[in-house]
Amino acid sequence: MSAESSPAQGPPARSGRRAATPVRRGREQARIARAQLAGTAGRLAGRVAPAFRAIGARVTPVTATVSALGWIVLGAAAVSLVLAFWPGWAEFAFLGVTLLAAFLIAIGFVIGRSTYAVGVELTPRRVVAGERAYGRLTVRNSGQRPVLPTRMELPVGEGVAEFTVPRLQPDAETEELFAVPTARRALILAGPAISVRGDQLGLLRRTTRWSDQVELFVHPRTVRLAATARGLVRDLEGQTTKVITDSDLAFHALRTYEAGDDIRNVHWRTSARTGQLMVRQYQETRRSQLLLALDGDGARYASEDEFELAVSVLASIGCHVIREETQVAAVWQGGTMRVGTPTALLDDSCRIQQVAPGQTGLREFLRQATLRMAPPSLAITVVGSQVPPAELRAAAALWSTDTETITIRVDETAEPRVTRLGATLLITLGRLEELPALLKRAGR
C-alpha cells in the first residue's frame, strides 16, 4: 500500500509546477497589453489634444460672453423643454420657449464690430492727498462707418466709472470728464477702458479693451524741515566716529612722537614748548549715510490715520535729506525705496501698504533690510504707537556706538515730546506739523 501510494502522489506535484508557468505568462502578457494600450492612448491624446485646444480657443471667446445669469437661463430652458416633452407638461414648454427666445434675442445685442480710438488722461499725474485731480476720456470713431451707441467702463482705483458713448459718425469724437478721489495717499490706476455690449437683462456681456492703464500718484502730505535739525544738515566733512587715526580732518589730541610716525603730523609749536616731538591725532570721519526705515506692520499702529501719519513723517524727512544732497537709504517691509529725487521717493511712498502682522519683529526687519548696506551714521526709524519700549531698545542696539539712532513714534493721542530710551533718542508726535520743532529740539 505504501509503495503504491508513493507514485500516486508524485504527478500532482509536477502538474502544479506546470500550472504555475501559464499563470506567469498570462500576467506578463497582460502587463505588455496594458503598456501597449497606454502607449496607444498617449499617442492618440497627443494627436487629439491640439485639435481640442484649437476648438477651445475658438469656443472660449463665445462662452465667455455668457454671464452667470445667462447660464442659469439656458439651464432652466433645457430643463423646462425636457419636462415638456417627456412628462408632457405644456406649461413647461411655454416657459422653455420663452427663456430660449430671450437668450436668442440677447445674441443680437452683442453682434457687431466697433472701431474706437480711446484715450485716457489724468491731470495732473501727481497730487498731494486732498488736492483735486481730473480725468478725461476721449472716444473717437476711427472707422469708415458709423458705430452704434455703446457703454464704456473705466476702472478708477477701486471703483468703476460708466459712460454712455452715443452713435458716432466716422472721425467723430466725444469726451467725458470725471473727478478722481484723492482724499488719501494712494497709487490710483485708471483703466483700461472697456466697451461693453449686451442686453438689458444681462444674459450676455461682450467686452473689448481699448486702452492701457494710467497711473495717478497721490503723494502723502509733507512738511518742510529746518536745516539745523539733528543729523539732517549737510555735513561736507562726514560724521566723526570714536575711531582714532593719524590722518583725517577732525582733530582729536596730541601724543608723543613714535618711530614710524609721519613727520607731517608733528605739531612744532607744542614740540618746541615741551621739548619733545608731539604729533597730531584725529577722529576718523565717514561720509554721512542716513538710514530711513518705516515699520509697516499693521498690528503696531492704532489706526489707518496713524499709519498715514507715519508715511508722511518718512516722506518729509526723506525729501529734506535728498534736497540737502545727503546719502540716504529708505526701506520698509516691502523693499527699498528710490531716493534719487524727492519725486521718486514720493512716488514710491504711494506704494507703501500695511503688511500682515507678526511676520518679523522690528529688530529682525531692520537687520534683514540692512544686510547689504554700509553701517549708517544716523538711523531714523518710524514706528507706530503699539510697539513696546523693549522692542525699540532692541532695535536701537542693532548698530554700533558709531551710529546715532532716532526713533520717531507716531501716536495721535500723545503729547509731543523728546526723551531718551536706552541708546536711542525717542521722539513722540501726534501731528505732522509738530515734526520740525521736535527735530530742532532733538538737535540741541
Side-chain angles (χ1 to χ4, degrees):
M1 296 290 292
S2 61
E4 294 176 356
S5 61
S6 177
Q9 295 176 355
R14 288 193 297 271
S15 63
R17 287 193 295 271
R18 293 193 189 100
T21 301
V23 172
R24 287 195 296 270
R25 290 177 179 175
R27 291 177 178 175
E28 183 67 20
Q29 292 175 355
R31 186 184 65 80
I32 295 174
R34 286 195 298 269
Q36 292 176 348
L37 181 61
T40 303
R43 290 191 297 271
L44 182 61
R47 295 177 181 178
V48 174
F52 275 102
R53 285 195 294 267
I55 295 174
R58 293 181 176 274
V59 172
T60 299
V62 178
T63 58
T65 61
V66 183
S67 65
L69 179 60
W71 289 114
I72 293 175
V73 169
L74 280 178
V79 172
S80 299
L81 293 176
V82 170
L83 293 176
F85 289 102
W86 184 32
W89 293 345
E91 296 83 355
F92 283 97
F94 175 77
L95 178 60
V97 171
T98 302
L99 294 177
L100 190 59
F103 191 87
L104 293 176
I105 293 174
I107 295 177
F109 287 89
V110 297
I111 295 177
R113 297 181 59 185
S114 299
T115 53
Y116 290 129
V118 180
V120 179
E121 298 178 4
L122 297 178
T123 306
R125 293 286 301 277
R126 291 174 173 85
V127 296
V128 179
E131 296 181 350
R132 293 183 178 181
Y134 299 95
R136 179 171 176 262
L137 174 70
T138 59
V139 181
R140 182 176 61 87
N141 180 9
S142 59
Q144 302 298 323
R145 297 180 180 179
V147 291
L148 296 176
T150 188
R151 181 163 53 92
M152 195 75 67
E153 293 183 355
L154 180 68
V156 180
E158 297 180 355
V160 178
E162 296 185 0
F163 308 95
T164 300
V165 179
R167 185 175 185 271
L168 295 177
Q169 297 293 332
D171 290 331
E173 182 178 287
T174 183
E175 70 174 14
E176 297 286 346
L177 301 179
F178 57 93
V180 181
T182 58
R184 300 182 70 87
R185 173 192 61 87
L187 174 59
I188 298 177
L189 299 178
I194 299 172
S195 64
V196 180
R197 285 177 173 268
D199 60 290
Q200 298 298 322
L201 298 178
L203 303 181
L204 300 178
R205 175 186 169 92
R206 178 187 172 191
T207 61
T208 305
R209 175 173 174 167
W210 296 102
S211 70
D212 295 327
Q213 289 184 325
V214 181
E215 292 181 333
L216 172 64
F217 295 93
V218 183
H219 291 166
R221 294 193 308 113
T222 57
V223 292
R224 285 278 185 175
L225 303 180
T228 56
R230 178 187 180 95
L232 303 182
V233 64
R234 187 188 311 176
D235 189 354
L236 298 179
E237 297 182 356
Q239 295 286 337
T240 60
T241 68
K242 296 182 180 180
V243 180
I244 304 301
T245 181
D246 292 332
S247 178
D248 216 307
L249 296 176
F251 176 75
H252 175 63
L254 295 174
R255 64 171 175 83
T256 306
Y257 177 85
E258 297 178 357
D261 287 341
D262 192 342
I263 195 67
R264 291 175 297 181
N265 292 332
V266 174
H267 195 271
W268 296 106
R269 291 184 179 179
T270 304
S271 300
R273 187 171 61 251
T274 59
Q276 57 181 348
L277 290 177
M278 304 293 292
V279 295
R280 301 180 183 89
Q281 282 186 312
Y282 301 88
Q283 282 183 298
E284 182 179 344
T285 59
R286 300 173 184 171
R287 188 172 182 180
S288 299
Q289 173 65 43
L290 175 65
L291 172 65
L292 277 175
L294 173 71
D295 182 18
D297 193 331
R300 296 172 182 154
Y301 293 89
S303 63
E304 287 281 347
D305 292 337
E306 188 174 284
F307 181 76
E308 293 301 320
L309 176 58
V311 176
S312 294
V313 170
L314 176 81
S316 299
I317 298 176
C319 290
H320 176 80
V321 297
I322 292 173
R323 295 188 188 100
E324 294 289 330
E325 299 180 1
T326 300
Q327 284 192 354
V328 60
V331 297
W332 66 292
Q333 276 87 342
T336 304
M337 304 171 65
R338 295 175 299 163
V339 293
T341 62
T343 301
L345 176 67
L346 291 173
D347 286 350
D348 282 359
S349 68
C350 296
R351 297 183 169 92
I352 297 178
Q353 298 178 352
Q354 294 189 22
V355 298
Q359 289 186 351
T360 57
L362 180 60
R363 178 187 172 90
E364 182 63 17
F365 151 61
L366 293 174
R367 188 189 69 81
Q368 294 180 2
T370 58
L371 279 177
R372 299 183 179 181
M373 296 182 183
S377 56
L378 175 65
I380 300 179
T381 307
V382 185
V383 299
S385 61
Q386 305 303 307
V387 182
E391 196 168 354
L392 296 179
R393 293 192 187 94
L398 180 64
W399 293 282
S400 66
T401 56
D402 290 334
T403 299
E404 297 185 36
T405 61
I406 297 178
T407 303
I408 302 178
R409 182 173 60 187
V410 294
D411 186 352
E412 294 182 317
T413 62
E415 292 294 328
R417 59 182 180 272
V418 179
T419 57
R420 174 65 63 174
L421 181 65
T424 185
L425 192 67
L426 180 61
I427 299 177
T428 304
L429 59 85
R431 295 186 304 111
L432 182 62
E433 292 74 17
E434 299 168 352
L435 181 61
L438 290 174
L439 285 176
K440 186 176 181 179
R441 189 190 309 174
R444 295 174 181 174

